[in-house]
Every structure is written in C-alpha cells, then in structure tokens.
Amino acid sequence: MLILGIETSCDETAAAVVEDGRRVLSSVVATQFESHAQYGGVVPEIAARRHLENLLPVLQGALDQAGVTLKDVDGLAVTQGPGLIGALVIGMAVAKVLSYTLKKPLAGVHHLQAHILAAFLTENPPALPLVALVVSGGHTNLYRVNSFLKMDLLGRSRDDAAGEAFDKVAKLMQLGYPGGVKVEALAARGNPAAFSLPRPRIATEPLTFSFSGLKTAVALQLKRHPEILADPGAQADLAASFQEAVVESLTSRAWLALKQTGLNRLVVCGGVAANGHLRQVLRDLAATAGTELFLPTLDLCGDNAAMVAALGFHLLAAGQRLDLDADVFSRG
Ligand code: KG4
Ligand code: ZN
C-alpha cells in the first residue's frame, strides 16, 4: 500500500511516498531556515507563506522521485497537529483536496507520534511495546508505545523543550539559528565538566523534564563572565557542559521509564536525536544495560513526511480515516 505523506507543522515543507509503512520510496524536505535566520527563530506568518509556495513543487518532487503518479497512491496522510496553525492548514487544505478529488482515504497524523515511526523506516524495525523519547524543537515527550494506535504519554517537559533549550543557548552564545547543530559543533571541542550546570528534578514527577533553569544558568554564566564569548576555549566548555546536562536529563529519564514500564526497548527520535553526542551516550548506555536501542537515520530525525506517511499507513489499515471537515490543532 502506497501512502503519500505531507508535513507542514513548522518550518519544513515535506512530502514523501512510503510503502507499507516501512519502505521509503521518496522523501523530499524543503527547509526554510534561511527565511527565518535573520529573525533568530521561526516566524509563523513567514512559515505559512513559504509552505504555500513550496508544497506543490515538493509534492511533485516526491512523486517523481518515487517514480509514481497520484493515481498510484492508495492513501494520504497529513500532519494534523501539534504545530503552527497557519502552517498546518496549508498541508491540511492540500491533503483534503487530493483526498476528495482522487477519492482516496486521508489519515490525520499526530506529529510527535509520527516522529516515533521514523525508527520503523528500516529493514529491521523494533518490536512493540517499547518506550519512545521524542526530543524535538517544541516537545520533549516520553511515551509507552503499546501499538501504532495507542501511545500513552509517560512524561513531558513542564517548560522548554530540549531542542528549544539548544536554540536559546545558541542565541545567548551568539551562534545563530538553528541552534542545535551549532552548539553540538562547538561542544565537540569543549570539556563537559568545565561548568557545573543544574539538572532539575521534580521529586514527585520523576519522568517530567525541565530545561528552562538550565538555559537560565547558561545566561547567568554569560552575564557574570561576558569574556567567555571572546574566548573560544571557554565558549566550547560552556557549550559542552550545557549539552552534557541535556543529555544526562534525557537519558536518566529514558532509563527510568524503561524501569517503570518493565520494558527493554527504546526509541529516541526528533530533531535533537540527530545530536552525535546524545547518540553516542545512548549507544554506550544501551550496551551496558542490554537495552535494545533504535535511532532513526540522521535524515529522518528532523521533520519529514516519510514518518507521517508511515503512521498514516497504520491508521488507514485500522480504518481510522480523517473526516474532511476535521480541523488542525496547535497543542496536544
Ligand atoms: O523535530 P524537529 O526537526 O522539529 C520539531 O518538531 O520541533 O526538531 C528541531 C529541533 C531544533 O530545536 C534544533 O535545534 C534541534 O532539533 N536539533 C538539534 C540538532 N539538530 C537539530 N539539537 C541538538 N543537536 C543537533 N545536532
Ligand atoms: Zn518535529
């Protein structure tokens, strides 16, 4: 079964063709970061306008790359939320028109749950159930994935998301946008033990994340010691210490969730899962603990439509079609 996926929840316009929720025939992503870089973050109105310009060429590109036409597609999948409303409605409008005119079923996909499916786009996908940690720009969520249709939220961030913390720290350190990759590159040259930064915990909610205090601690260091920004060594040390604190916060809760659920299978996905240091620490911990670890390939960590098509396949196979009057949602 061929599913055409569409993703426009934030600042990537993406389309993909995926077979049986597993085999990626094409995945095209048009990033907009150049349109937002001068503002230091995503501007919702600009994102929506770029989606409007990019979506049809991106869709055509995905069909061409897969060597198929719209007639060959068996169903459609579109991100319904969470995300920027103005951005989501562009993808939703196009998906509804295609579904209506082609008379093909449409699935409405939850963006964060779709990130988890990126780990299944491989020859050897994980078995279920498992624990999944979604680490993106807007969310840091831990799930118990019982099936593709039933994912229970175990924990989330009470304030900033991990990716947001990377972006804000990059801004504080004047590294530019998008921040994650820049902080990672700088951190690679630094000493992660150079600065002692907080790793906030809430005793009564051990699976809840919190990253705003960490960002504030970095801001305070820079306020007290502005000379750090002029010292490449100290700057790298601060970036490495920040990155280490994020990685420790993520991994400690992931393994606590495995312990609490009695599971031994972990997926870590979302934009921050592209971080090389995080991937290495996860692999080391998994090897020591004997945990089965599944990380999406780098190109499928960030936003893409292959993961949307993959989850859409399972929804449609279970008969979960989206009504054509259904709306997008910003939170959830
Ligand atoms: O999943 P994603 O592409 O979009 C959302 O759904 O939000 O995640 C984007 C986030 C951004 O905050 C970006 O800074 C972060 O992922 N990111 C990284 C890296 N690559 C992207 N964070 C740390 N290290 C990276 N290498
Ligand atoms: Zn995302």
PDB file of all heavy atoms in Angstrom, residues 7 9-12 111-112 115 134-139 162-167 178-184 243 269-276 301-304 307, ligand 1:
ATOM      1  N   GLU A   7       3.812  17.041   5.333  1.00  0.00           N
ATOM      2  CA  GLU A   7       4.186  17.603   6.643  1.00  0.00           C
ATOM      3  C   GLU A   7       4.448  19.107   6.486  1.00  0.00           C
ATOM      4  O   GLU A   7       5.316  19.509   5.700  1.00  0.00           O
ATOM      5  CB  GLU A   7       5.438  16.866   7.147  1.00  0.00           C
ATOM      6  CG  GLU A   7       6.313  17.607   8.135  1.00  0.00           C
ATOM      7  CD  GLU A   7       5.645  17.905   9.475  1.00  0.00           C
ATOM      8  OE1 GLU A   7       4.925  17.043   9.994  1.00  0.00           O
ATOM      9  OE2 GLU A   7       5.848  19.025   9.972  1.00  0.00           O
ATOM     10  N   SER A   9       4.086  21.267   9.661  1.00  0.00           N
ATOM     11  CA  SER A   9       3.715  21.746  11.002  1.00  0.00           C
ATOM     12  C   SER A   9       4.572  22.906  11.490  1.00  0.00           C
ATOM     13  O   SER A   9       4.153  23.674  12.342  1.00  0.00           O
ATOM     14  CB  SER A   9       3.785  20.603  12.016  1.00  0.00           C
ATOM     15  OG  SER A   9       5.121  20.188  12.203  1.00  0.00           O
ATOM     16  N   CYS A  10       5.792  23.029  10.950  1.00  0.00           N
ATOM     17  CA  CYS A  10       6.665  24.097  11.450  1.00  0.00           C
ATOM     18  C   CYS A  10       7.391  24.770  10.290  1.00  0.00           C
ATOM     19  O   CYS A  10       6.752  25.425   9.470  1.00  0.00           O
ATOM     20  CB  CYS A  10       7.620  23.527  12.495  1.00  0.00           C
ATOM     21  SG  CYS A  10       8.527  24.806  13.377  1.00  0.00           S
ATOM     22  N   ASP A  11       8.685  24.582  10.177  1.00  0.00           N
ATOM     23  CA  ASP A  11       9.422  25.313   9.143  1.00  0.00           C
ATOM     24  C   ASP A  11      10.025  24.417   8.075  1.00  0.00           C
ATOM     25  O   ASP A  11      10.907  24.845   7.341  1.00  0.00           O
ATOM     26  CB  ASP A  11      10.503  26.198   9.781  1.00  0.00           C
ATOM     27  CG  ASP A  11      11.504  25.397  10.593  1.00  0.00           C
ATOM     28  OD1 ASP A  11      11.218  24.230  10.900  1.00  0.00           O
ATOM     29  OD2 ASP A  11      12.569  25.935  10.924  1.00  0.00           O
ATOM     30  N   GLU A  12       9.558  23.163   7.976  1.00  0.00           N
ATOM     31  CA  GLU A  12       9.975  22.317   6.855  1.00  0.00           C
ATOM     32  C   GLU A  12       8.730  21.964   6.055  1.00  0.00           C
ATOM     33  O   GLU A  12       7.737  21.535   6.628  1.00  0.00           O
ATOM     34  CB  GLU A  12      10.609  20.988   7.325  1.00  0.00           C
ATOM     35  CG  GLU A  12      11.416  21.052   8.583  1.00  0.00           C
ATOM     36  CD  GLU A  12      12.842  21.507   8.353  1.00  0.00           C
ATOM     37  OE1 GLU A  12      13.183  21.815   7.187  1.00  0.00           O
ATOM     38  OE2 GLU A  12      13.592  21.575   9.329  1.00  0.00           O
ATOM     39  N   HIS A 111       1.887  14.748  15.018  1.00  0.00           N
ATOM     40  CA  HIS A 111       3.275  14.984  14.621  1.00  0.00           C
ATOM     41  C   HIS A 111       4.288  14.263  15.514  1.00  0.00           C
ATOM     42  O   HIS A 111       5.287  13.702  15.022  1.00  0.00           O
ATOM     43  CB  HIS A 111       3.550  16.496  14.628  1.00  0.00           C
ATOM     44  CG  HIS A 111       4.942  16.861  14.255  1.00  0.00           C
ATOM     45  ND1 HIS A 111       5.361  16.913  12.948  1.00  0.00           N
ATOM     46  CD2 HIS A 111       6.013  17.178  15.005  1.00  0.00           C
ATOM     47  CE1 HIS A 111       6.642  17.251  12.914  1.00  0.00           C
ATOM     48  NE2 HIS A 111       7.066  17.424  14.153  1.00  0.00           N
ATOM     49  N   LEU A 112       4.069  14.290  16.829  1.00  0.00           N
ATOM     50  CA  LEU A 112       5.062  13.699  17.743  1.00  0.00           C
ATOM     51  C   LEU A 112       5.054  12.181  17.653  1.00  0.00           C
ATOM     52  O   LEU A 112       6.103  11.536  17.696  1.00  0.00           O
ATOM     53  CB  LEU A 112       4.789  14.161  19.172  1.00  0.00           C
ATOM     54  CG  LEU A 112       4.860  15.676  19.311  1.00  0.00           C
ATOM     55  CD1 LEU A 112       4.309  16.123  20.648  1.00  0.00           C
ATOM     56  CD2 LEU A 112       6.284  16.147  19.136  1.00  0.00           C
ATOM     57  N   HIS A 115       7.006  11.149  14.663  1.00  0.00           N
ATOM     58  CA  HIS A 115       8.467  11.100  14.863  1.00  0.00           C
ATOM     59  C   HIS A 115       8.911   9.693  15.273  1.00  0.00           C
ATOM     60  O   HIS A 115       9.971   9.223  14.860  1.00  0.00           O
ATOM     61  CB  HIS A 115       8.893  12.110  15.934  1.00  0.00           C
ATOM     62  CG  HIS A 115       9.262  13.468  15.383  1.00  0.00           C
ATOM     63  ND1 HIS A 115      10.324  13.651  14.520  1.00  0.00           N
ATOM     64  CD2 HIS A 115       8.718  14.692  15.574  1.00  0.00           C
ATOM     65  CE1 HIS A 115      10.413  14.942  14.210  1.00  0.00           C
ATOM     66  NE2 HIS A 115       9.453  15.597  14.825  1.00  0.00           N
ATOM     67  N   VAL A 134      10.646  11.371  22.450  1.00  0.00           N
ATOM     68  CA  VAL A 134      10.595  12.299  21.312  1.00  0.00           C
ATOM     69  C   VAL A 134      11.216  13.616  21.765  1.00  0.00           C
ATOM     70  O   VAL A 134      10.710  14.265  22.682  1.00  0.00           O
ATOM     71  CB  VAL A 134       9.139  12.555  20.851  1.00  0.00           C
ATOM     72  CG1 VAL A 134       9.128  13.405  19.579  1.00  0.00           C
ATOM     73  CG2 VAL A 134       8.402  11.242  20.622  1.00  0.00           C
ATOM     74  N   VAL A 135      12.336  13.985  21.127  1.00  0.00           N
ATOM     75  CA  VAL A 135      13.056  15.201  21.532  1.00  0.00           C
ATOM     76  C   VAL A 135      13.104  16.150  20.345  1.00  0.00           C
ATOM     77  O   VAL A 135      13.957  16.015  19.468  1.00  0.00           O
ATOM     78  CB  VAL A 135      14.506  14.887  21.960  1.00  0.00           C
ATOM     79  CG1 VAL A 135      14.909  15.796  23.108  1.00  0.00           C
ATOM     80  CG2 VAL A 135      14.716  13.455  22.329  1.00  0.00           C
ATOM     81  N   SER A 136      12.172  17.110  20.324  1.00  0.00           N
ATOM     82  CA  SER A 136      12.104  17.998  19.160  1.00  0.00           C
ATOM     83  C   SER A 136      12.264  19.446  19.603  1.00  0.00           C
ATOM     84  O   SER A 136      12.623  19.727  20.748  1.00  0.00           O
ATOM     85  CB  SER A 136      10.778  17.778  18.424  1.00  0.00           C
ATOM     86  OG  SER A 136       9.741  18.387  19.139  1.00  0.00           O
ATOM     87  N   GLY A 137      11.986  20.363  18.674  1.00  0.00           N
ATOM     88  CA  GLY A 137      12.129  21.775  18.995  1.00  0.00           C
ATOM     89  C   GLY A 137      11.016  22.280  19.908  1.00  0.00           C
ATOM     90  O   GLY A 137      11.214  23.215  20.681  1.00  0.00           O
ATOM     91  N   GLY A 138       9.862  21.659  19.823  1.00  0.00           N
ATOM     92  CA  GLY A 138       8.723  22.131  20.602  1.00  0.00           C
ATOM     93  C   GLY A 138       8.329  21.219  21.745  1.00  0.00           C
ATOM     94  O   GLY A 138       7.568  21.610  22.624  1.00  0.00           O
ATOM     95  N   HIS A 139       8.833  19.973  21.744  1.00  0.00           N
ATOM     96  CA  HIS A 139       8.381  18.993  22.740  1.00  0.00           C
ATOM     97  C   HIS A 139       9.503  18.072  23.197  1.00  0.00           C
ATOM     98  O   HIS A 139      10.426  17.792  22.438  1.00  0.00           O
ATOM     99  CB  HIS A 139       7.267  18.110  22.152  1.00  0.00           C
ATOM    100  CG  HIS A 139       6.056  18.881  21.745  1.00  0.00           C
ATOM    101  ND1 HIS A 139       5.972  19.530  20.540  1.00  0.00           N
ATOM    102  CD2 HIS A 139       4.897  19.133  22.403  1.00  0.00           C
ATOM    103  CE1 HIS A 139       4.797  20.151  20.463  1.00  0.00           C
ATOM    104  NE2 HIS A 139       4.134  19.932  21.583  1.00  0.00           N
ATOM    105  N   ALA A 162      13.764  20.329  24.895  1.00  0.00           N
ATOM    106  CA  ALA A 162      15.225  20.209  24.814  1.00  0.00           C
ATOM    107  C   ALA A 162      15.768  20.954  23.588  1.00  0.00           C
ATOM    108  O   ALA A 162      16.770  21.676  23.676  1.00  0.00           O
ATOM    109  CB  ALA A 162      15.627  18.739  24.780  1.00  0.00           C
ATOM    110  N   GLY A 163      15.096  20.811  22.449  1.00  0.00           N
ATOM    111  CA  GLY A 163      15.556  21.497  21.241  1.00  0.00           C
ATOM    112  C   GLY A 163      15.487  23.013  21.384  1.00  0.00           C
ATOM    113  O   GLY A 163      16.373  23.737  20.929  1.00  0.00           O
ATOM    114  N   GLU A 164      14.420  23.453  22.063  1.00  0.00           N
ATOM    115  CA  GLU A 164      14.252  24.887  22.328  1.00  0.00           C
ATOM    116  C   GLU A 164      15.405  25.394  23.191  1.00  0.00           C
ATOM    117  O   GLU A 164      15.925  26.498  22.973  1.00  0.00           O
ATOM    118  CB  GLU A 164      12.922  25.038  23.068  1.00  0.00           C
ATOM    119  CG  GLU A 164      12.371  26.398  23.204  1.00  0.00           C
ATOM    120  CD  GLU A 164      10.993  26.332  23.916  1.00  0.00           C
ATOM    121  OE1 GLU A 164      10.471  25.222  24.163  1.00  0.00           O
ATOM    122  OE2 GLU A 164      10.481  27.420  24.229  1.00  0.00           O
ATOM    123  N   ALA A 165      15.824  24.582  24.174  1.00  0.00           N
ATOM    124  CA  ALA A 165      16.952  24.964  25.035  1.00  0.00           C
ATOM    125  C   ALA A 165      18.222  25.093  24.196  1.00  0.00           C
ATOM    126  O   ALA A 165      18.988  26.058  24.353  1.00  0.00           O
ATOM    127  CB  ALA A 165      17.134  23.936  26.151  1.00  0.00           C
ATOM    128  N   PHE A 166      18.450  24.149  23.270  1.00  0.00           N
ATOM    129  CA  PHE A 166      19.611  24.251  22.372  1.00  0.00           C
ATOM    130  C   PHE A 166      19.527  25.559  21.576  1.00  0.00           C
ATOM    131  O   PHE A 166      20.520  26.278  21.436  1.00  0.00           O
ATOM    132  CB  PHE A 166      19.644  23.061  21.399  1.00  0.00           C
ATOM    133  CG  PHE A 166      20.466  21.895  21.885  1.00  0.00           C
ATOM    134  CD1 PHE A 166      19.877  20.829  22.534  1.00  0.00           C
ATOM    135  CD2 PHE A 166      21.843  21.866  21.695  1.00  0.00           C
ATOM    136  CE1 PHE A 166      20.631  19.756  22.982  1.00  0.00           C
ATOM    137  CE2 PHE A 166      22.613  20.800  22.134  1.00  0.00           C
ATOM    138  CZ  PHE A 166      22.004  19.735  22.785  1.00  0.00           C
ATOM    139  N   ASP A 167      18.337  25.860  21.056  1.00  0.00           N
ATOM    140  CA  ASP A 167      18.188  27.060  20.224  1.00  0.00           C
ATOM    141  C   ASP A 167      18.411  28.335  21.038  1.00  0.00           C
ATOM    142  O   ASP A 167      19.044  29.284  20.568  1.00  0.00           O
ATOM    143  CB  ASP A 167      16.802  27.085  19.566  1.00  0.00           C
ATOM    144  CG  ASP A 167      16.620  25.937  18.579  1.00  0.00           C
ATOM    145  OD1 ASP A 167      17.633  25.456  18.030  1.00  0.00           O
ATOM    146  OD2 ASP A 167      15.477  25.502  18.359  1.00  0.00           O
ATOM    147  N   PRO A 178      19.590  27.771  12.890  1.00  0.00           N
ATOM    148  CA  PRO A 178      19.107  26.969  14.010  1.00  0.00           C
ATOM    149  C   PRO A 178      20.244  26.536  14.923  1.00  0.00           C
ATOM    150  O   PRO A 178      21.371  26.304  14.464  1.00  0.00           O
ATOM    151  CB  PRO A 178      18.446  25.769  13.336  1.00  0.00           C
ATOM    152  CG  PRO A 178      19.122  25.649  12.006  1.00  0.00           C
ATOM    153  CD  PRO A 178      19.616  27.008  11.633  1.00  0.00           C
ATOM    154  N   GLY A 179      19.943  26.423  16.210  1.00  0.00           N
ATOM    155  CA  GLY A 179      20.995  26.353  17.205  1.00  0.00           C
ATOM    156  C   GLY A 179      21.591  24.994  17.518  1.00  0.00           C
ATOM    157  O   GLY A 179      22.771  24.904  17.860  1.00  0.00           O
ATOM    158  N   GLY A 180      20.794  23.934  17.419  1.00  0.00           N
ATOM    159  CA  GLY A 180      21.257  22.623  17.881  1.00  0.00           C
ATOM    160  C   GLY A 180      22.578  22.200  17.260  1.00  0.00           C
ATOM    161  O   GLY A 180      23.525  21.832  17.955  1.00  0.00           O
ATOM    162  N   VAL A 181      22.623  22.275  15.940  1.00  0.00           N
ATOM    163  CA  VAL A 181      23.820  21.825  15.220  1.00  0.00           C
ATOM    164  C   VAL A 181      25.032  22.679  15.609  1.00  0.00           C
ATOM    165  O   VAL A 181      26.150  22.168  15.745  1.00  0.00           O
ATOM    166  CB  VAL A 181      23.580  21.939  13.700  1.00  0.00           C
ATOM    167  CG1 VAL A 181      24.725  21.370  12.911  1.00  0.00           C
ATOM    168  CG2 VAL A 181      22.291  21.244  13.321  1.00  0.00           C
ATOM    169  N   LYS A 182      24.794  23.981  15.795  1.00  0.00           N
ATOM    170  CA  LYS A 182      25.917  24.893  16.103  1.00  0.00           C
ATOM    171  C   LYS A 182      26.454  24.638  17.500  1.00  0.00           C
ATOM    172  O   LYS A 182      27.669  24.651  17.726  1.00  0.00           O
ATOM    173  CB  LYS A 182      25.466  26.336  15.937  1.00  0.00           C
ATOM    174  CG  LYS A 182      25.024  26.557  14.506  1.00  0.00           C
ATOM    175  CD  LYS A 182      24.942  27.992  14.104  1.00  0.00           C
ATOM    176  CE  LYS A 182      24.746  28.028  12.585  1.00  0.00           C
ATOM    177  NZ  LYS A 182      24.393  29.266  12.032  1.00  0.00           N
ATOM    178  N   VAL A 183      25.553  24.410  18.456  1.00  0.00           N
ATOM    179  CA  VAL A 183      26.006  24.102  19.817  1.00  0.00           C
ATOM    180  C   VAL A 183      26.783  22.776  19.805  1.00  0.00           C
ATOM    181  O   VAL A 183      27.834  22.653  20.424  1.00  0.00           O
ATOM    182  CB  VAL A 183      24.820  24.022  20.806  1.00  0.00           C
ATOM    183  CG1 VAL A 183      25.264  23.518  22.166  1.00  0.00           C
ATOM    184  CG2 VAL A 183      24.166  25.396  20.949  1.00  0.00           C
ATOM    185  N   GLU A 184      26.273  21.794  19.063  1.00  0.00           N
ATOM    186  CA  GLU A 184      26.954  20.498  19.006  1.00  0.00           C
ATOM    187  C   GLU A 184      28.375  20.642  18.452  1.00  0.00           C
ATOM    188  O   GLU A 184      29.332  20.081  19.009  1.00  0.00           O
ATOM    189  CB  GLU A 184      26.168  19.500  18.147  1.00  0.00           C
ATOM    190  CG  GLU A 184      26.889  18.160  18.079  1.00  0.00           C
ATOM    191  CD  GLU A 184      26.222  17.099  17.207  1.00  0.00           C
ATOM    192  OE1 GLU A 184      25.139  17.348  16.645  1.00  0.00           O
ATOM    193  OE2 GLU A 184      26.816  16.012  17.101  1.00  0.00           O
ATOM    194  N   GLN A 243      25.420  20.843  26.869  1.00  0.00           N
ATOM    195  CA  GLN A 243      24.996  19.656  26.115  1.00  0.00           C
ATOM    196  C   GLN A 243      24.993  18.420  27.017  1.00  0.00           C
ATOM    197  O   GLN A 243      24.076  17.591  26.965  1.00  0.00           O
ATOM    198  CB  GLN A 243      25.930  19.443  24.925  1.00  0.00           C
ATOM    199  CG  GLN A 243      25.571  18.255  24.056  1.00  0.00           C
ATOM    200  CD  GLN A 243      26.449  18.193  22.820  1.00  0.00           C
ATOM    201  OE1 GLN A 243      26.054  18.617  21.743  1.00  0.00           O
ATOM    202  NE2 GLN A 243      27.641  17.657  22.968  1.00  0.00           N
ATOM    203  N   CYS A 269      13.967   9.801  19.187  1.00  0.00           N
ATOM    204  CA  CYS A 269      13.715  10.391  17.865  1.00  0.00           C
ATOM    205  C   CYS A 269      13.422  11.880  17.991  1.00  0.00           C
ATOM    206  O   CYS A 269      13.394  12.421  19.093  1.00  0.00           O
ATOM    207  CB  CYS A 269      12.534   9.660  17.232  1.00  0.00           C
ATOM    208  SG  CYS A 269      11.078   9.671  18.291  1.00  0.00           S
ATOM    209  N   GLY A 270      13.207  12.547  16.862  1.00  0.00           N
ATOM    210  CA  GLY A 270      13.009  14.008  16.845  1.00  0.00           C
ATOM    211  C   GLY A 270      14.314  14.695  16.511  1.00  0.00           C
ATOM    212  O   GLY A 270      15.384  14.073  16.526  1.00  0.00           O
ATOM    213  N   GLY A 271      14.237  15.991  16.218  1.00  0.00           N
ATOM    214  CA  GLY A 271      15.400  16.743  15.745  1.00  0.00           C
ATOM    215  C   GLY A 271      16.642  16.599  16.606  1.00  0.00           C
ATOM    216  O   GLY A 271      17.756  16.461  16.089  1.00  0.00           O
ATOM    217  N   VAL A 272      16.475  16.600  17.930  1.00  0.00           N
ATOM    218  CA  VAL A 272      17.640  16.531  18.824  1.00  0.00           C
ATOM    219  C   VAL A 272      18.303  15.137  18.780  1.00  0.00           C
ATOM    220  O   VAL A 272      19.484  15.009  19.116  1.00  0.00           O
ATOM    221  CB  VAL A 272      17.239  16.929  20.272  1.00  0.00           C
ATOM    222  CG1 VAL A 272      18.428  16.898  21.213  1.00  0.00           C
ATOM    223  CG2 VAL A 272      16.602  18.317  20.286  1.00  0.00           C
ATOM    224  N   ALA A 273      17.560  14.127  18.335  1.00  0.00           N
ATOM    225  CA  ALA A 273      18.131  12.778  18.214  1.00  0.00           C
ATOM    226  C   ALA A 273      19.212  12.724  17.133  1.00  0.00           C
ATOM    227  O   ALA A 273      19.906  11.712  16.996  1.00  0.00           O
ATOM    228  CB  ALA A 273      17.041  11.753  17.936  1.00  0.00           C
ATOM    229  N   ALA A 274      19.375  13.815  16.376  1.00  0.00           N
ATOM    230  CA  ALA A 274      20.477  13.881  15.407  1.00  0.00           C
ATOM    231  C   ALA A 274      21.789  14.253  16.093  1.00  0.00           C
ATOM    232  O   ALA A 274      22.855  14.182  15.473  1.00  0.00           O
ATOM    233  CB  ALA A 274      20.153  14.918  14.328  1.00  0.00           C
ATOM    234  N   ASN A 275      21.710  14.628  17.363  1.00  0.00           N
ATOM    235  CA  ASN A 275      22.920  15.062  18.086  1.00  0.00           C
ATOM    236  C   ASN A 275      23.887  13.882  18.282  1.00  0.00           C
ATOM    237  O   ASN A 275      23.534  12.871  18.906  1.00  0.00           O
ATOM    238  CB  ASN A 275      22.491  15.655  19.437  1.00  0.00           C
ATOM    239  CG  ASN A 275      23.660  16.209  20.220  1.00  0.00           C
ATOM    240  OD1 ASN A 275      24.397  15.459  20.851  1.00  0.00           O
ATOM    241  ND2 ASN A 275      23.853  17.514  20.177  1.00  0.00           N
ATOM    242  N   GLY A 276      25.082  14.031  17.763  1.00  0.00           N
ATOM    243  CA  GLY A 276      26.061  12.941  17.780  1.00  0.00           C
ATOM    244  C   GLY A 276      26.452  12.515  19.177  1.00  0.00           C
ATOM    245  O   GLY A 276      26.618  11.318  19.449  1.00  0.00           O
ATOM    246  N   CYS A 301      15.543  12.148  11.511  1.00  0.00           N
ATOM    247  CA  CYS A 301      15.366  12.676  12.878  1.00  0.00           C
ATOM    248  C   CYS A 301      14.545  13.959  12.852  1.00  0.00           C
ATOM    249  O   CYS A 301      13.587  14.115  13.596  1.00  0.00           O
ATOM    250  CB  CYS A 301      16.722  12.930  13.531  1.00  0.00           C
ATOM    251  SG  CYS A 301      17.563  11.421  14.049  1.00  0.00           S
ATOM    252  N   GLY A 302      14.935  14.888  12.007  1.00  0.00           N
ATOM    253  CA  GLY A 302      14.209  16.161  11.890  1.00  0.00           C
ATOM    254  C   GLY A 302      12.881  15.945  11.165  1.00  0.00           C
ATOM    255  O   GLY A 302      12.533  14.818  10.782  1.00  0.00           O
ATOM    256  N   ASP A 303      12.146  17.040  11.000  1.00  0.00           N
ATOM    257  CA  ASP A 303      10.824  16.919  10.390  1.00  0.00           C
ATOM    258  C   ASP A 303      10.917  16.412   8.958  1.00  0.00           C
ATOM    259  O   ASP A 303      11.742  16.869   8.165  1.00  0.00           O
ATOM    260  CB  ASP A 303      10.122  18.287  10.427  1.00  0.00           C
ATOM    261  CG  ASP A 303       9.695  18.634  11.842  1.00  0.00           C
ATOM    262  OD1 ASP A 303       9.678  17.729  12.690  1.00  0.00           O
ATOM    263  OD2 ASP A 303       9.379  19.806  12.088  1.00  0.00           O
ATOM    264  N   ASN A 304      10.051  15.458   8.637  1.00  0.00           N
ATOM    265  CA  ASN A 304       9.998  14.874   7.299  1.00  0.00           C
ATOM    266  C   ASN A 304       8.605  14.291   7.105  1.00  0.00           C
ATOM    267  O   ASN A 304       7.830  14.192   8.073  1.00  0.00           O
ATOM    268  CB  ASN A 304      11.080  13.791   7.143  1.00  0.00           C
ATOM    269  CG  ASN A 304      10.830  12.607   8.063  1.00  0.00           C
ATOM    270  OD1 ASN A 304      10.097  11.700   7.710  1.00  0.00           O
ATOM    271  ND2 ASN A 304      11.403  12.626   9.281  1.00  0.00           N
ATOM    272  N   MET A 307       7.864   9.846   7.903  1.00  0.00           N
ATOM    273  CA  MET A 307       7.326   9.388   9.194  1.00  0.00           C
ATOM    274  C   MET A 307       5.808   9.610   9.256  1.00  0.00           C
ATOM    275  O   MET A 307       5.096   8.829   9.886  1.00  0.00           O
ATOM    276  CB  MET A 307       8.049  10.116  10.337  1.00  0.00           C
ATOM    277  CG  MET A 307       7.799  11.621  10.394  1.00  0.00           C
ATOM    278  SD  MET A 307       8.844  12.442  11.624  1.00  0.00           S
ATOM    279  CE  MET A 307       7.957  14.010  11.811  1.00  0.00           C
TER     280      MET A 307
HETATM  281  O1  KG4 B   1      11.869  17.566  15.278  1.00  0.00           O
HETATM  282  P1  KG4 B   1      12.375  18.851  14.743  1.00  0.00           P
HETATM  283  O2  KG4 B   1      13.064  18.855  13.417  1.00  0.00           O
HETATM  284  O3  KG4 B   1      11.233  19.918  14.661  1.00  0.00           O
HETATM  285  C1  KG4 B   1      10.213  19.987  15.600  1.00  0.00           C
HETATM  286  O4  KG4 B   1       9.253  19.198  15.523  1.00  0.00           O
HETATM  287  O5  KG4 B   1      10.365  20.847  16.507  1.00  0.00           O
HETATM  288  O6  KG4 B   1      13.363  19.430  15.859  1.00  0.00           O
HETATM  289  C2  KG4 B   1      14.039  20.640  15.697  1.00  0.00           C
HETATM  290  C3  KG4 B   1      14.937  20.859  16.888  1.00  0.00           C
HETATM  291  C4  KG4 B   1      15.539  22.261  16.936  1.00  0.00           C
HETATM  292  O7  KG4 B   1      15.338  22.799  18.231  1.00  0.00           O
HETATM  293  C5  KG4 B   1      17.009  22.014  16.644  1.00  0.00           C
HETATM  294  O8  KG4 B   1      17.873  22.954  17.266  1.00  0.00           O
HETATM  295  C6  KG4 B   1      17.206  20.636  17.226  1.00  0.00           C
HETATM  296  O9  KG4 B   1      16.034  19.943  16.873  1.00  0.00           O
HETATM  297  N1  KG4 B   1      18.390  19.968  16.657  1.00  0.00           N
HETATM  298  C7  KG4 B   1      19.464  19.615  17.372  1.00  0.00           C
HETATM  299  C8  KG4 B   1      20.399  19.067  16.459  1.00  0.00           C
HETATM  300  N2  KG4 B   1      19.848  19.084  15.218  1.00  0.00           N
HETATM  301  C9  KG4 B   1      18.608  19.645  15.363  1.00  0.00           C
HETATM  302  N3  KG4 B   1      19.738  19.735  18.689  1.00  0.00           N
HETATM  303  C10 KG4 B   1      20.937  19.291  19.117  1.00  0.00           C
HETATM  304  N4  KG4 B   1      21.876  18.756  18.296  1.00  0.00           N
HETATM  305  C11 KG4 B   1      21.657  18.619  16.971  1.00  0.00           C
HETATM  306  N5  KG4 B   1      22.586  18.089  16.183  1.00  0.00           N
END
